[in-house]
Amino acid sequence: QVQLQESGPGLVKPSETLSLTCTVSGGSISTYSWTWIRQPPGKGLEWIGYMYYTGSSDYNPSLKSRVTISLDTSKNQFSLKLTSVTAADTAVYYCARPLGGTNDAFDVWGQGTMVTVSS
Amino acid sequence: DIQLTQSPSSLSASVGDRVTITCRASQNIITYLHWYQQKAGKAPKLLIYAASRLESGVPSRFSGSGSGTDFTLTISSLQPEDFATYYCQRGYISPWTFGQGTKVEIK
């Protein structure tokens, strides 16, 4: 059974770069696509983007200029970098994997990690 | 972007009630519509994918229907563990987007 676990700093200063890692256990990262989704406190869900194991990627246009998702197959991890953060980027960040046969229905989620942007 | 409008934003219901939540897309998304349940402090859980397919392990009291622009999630007999927030989410054309959520509360 595939499990995902997010890790990274819980506090980031404004204008700096948010960096998170998702560790995949129980399966190989060299299949499927790998996605980041976030949820500001008390608000709804926002898809950030994904990267396929082949290296192709897609990002939410609202974040595209600031986001990079990358895969590290040697560590079975994938990462999120979000540059020039502001308070609006404060959220719980989830990593997720889609259901087999789909690209956009997420059946495996990490527990989420809260990131606060504050000086 | 293709927007999703979910309604109602909240509802109060009793155990045993039949509950219906709707999700409307601003353009035809065929059946690229999925439903999630989220409880406080937890990650969302996939309930229904491709509009009407029940995810493995999800109780059969949950069902989904619709195609094109109009979709429905139905809980046939609300159970105590079903009190949560429900989100629709679409695929089809990037960026994937979520509805704003429906909070199901105890009456």
Side-chain angles (χ1 to χ4, degrees):
Chain A
Q1 173 126 2
V2 172
Q3 293 185 311
L4 308 180
Q5 177 69 58
E6 304 91 347
S7 59
L11 181 64
V12 181
K13 290 182 168 55
S15 79
E16 295 190 345
T17 296
L18 180 159
S19 296
L20 297 174
T21 297
C22 183
T23 300
V24 180
S25 58
S28 173
I29 200 170
S30 298
T31 56
Y32 295 94
S33 61
W34 301 93
T35 292
W36 288 95
I37 292 165
R38 70 180 183 178
Q39 185 172 35
K43 297 188 178 180
L45 298 153
E46 180 180 34
W47 173 76
I48 298 171
Y50 68 74
M51 175 164 275
Y52 266 114
Y53 68 96
T54 57
S56 64
S57 61
D58 192 13
Y59 301 123
N60 193 320
S62 68
L63 299 169
K64 190 170 186 176
S65 64
R66 299 193 291 131
V67 172
T68 304
I69 297 174
S70 58
L71 271 59
D72 186 337
T73 55
S74 67
K75 295 181 179 179
N76 226 35
Q77 295 176 334
F78 64 106
S79 298
L80 169 71
K81 290 191 187 302
L82 182 65
T83 62
S84 305
V85 297
T86 69
D89 295 310
T90 294
V92 176
Y93 285 77
Y94 294 102
C95 54
R97 191 207 74 178
L99 183 66
T102 78
N103 187 36
D104 51 35
F106 304 105
D107 68 327
V108 181
W109 295 68
Q111 66 184 27
T113 188
M114 180 70 200
V115 179
T116 300
V117 178
S118 176
S119 55
Chain B
D1 293 355
I2 301 174
Q3 303 301 319
L4 293 178
T5 302
Q6 195 174 331
S7 62
S9 56
S10 65
L11 63 90
S12 295
S14 300
V15 172
D17 283 354
R18 182 181 182 89
V19 170
T20 298
I21 299 168
T22 64
C23 186
R24 175 165 289 178
S26 59
Q27 297 177 39
N28 185 354
I29 57 170
I30 313 176
T31 57
Y32 289 85
L33 192 285
H34 321 301
W35 291 96
Y36 299 85
Q37 176 193 69
Q38 187 179 34
K39 296 183 178 179
K42 300 294 187 181
K45 174 187 175 183
L46 181 65
L47 300 174
I48 302 287
Y49 66 98
S52 61
R53 300 189 176 192
L54 191 68
E55 167 66 342
S56 175
V58 173
S60 59
R61 63 181 180 272
F62 291 93
S63 64
S65 64
S67 65
T69 60
D70 292 311
F71 302 86
T72 300
L73 172 70
T74 300
I75 310 172
S76 60
S77 177
L78 198 66
Q79 297 301 300
E81 60 268 31
D82 300 338
F83 292 95
T85 300
Y86 294 83
Y87 292 94
C88 58
Q89 177 242 323
R90 66 155 189 86
Y92 188 47
I93 296 174
S94 174
W96 315 153
T97 54
F98 292 84
Q100 62 268 51
T102 296
K103 187 172 185 178
V104 177
E105 299 176 301
I106 301 172
K107 181 183 280 185

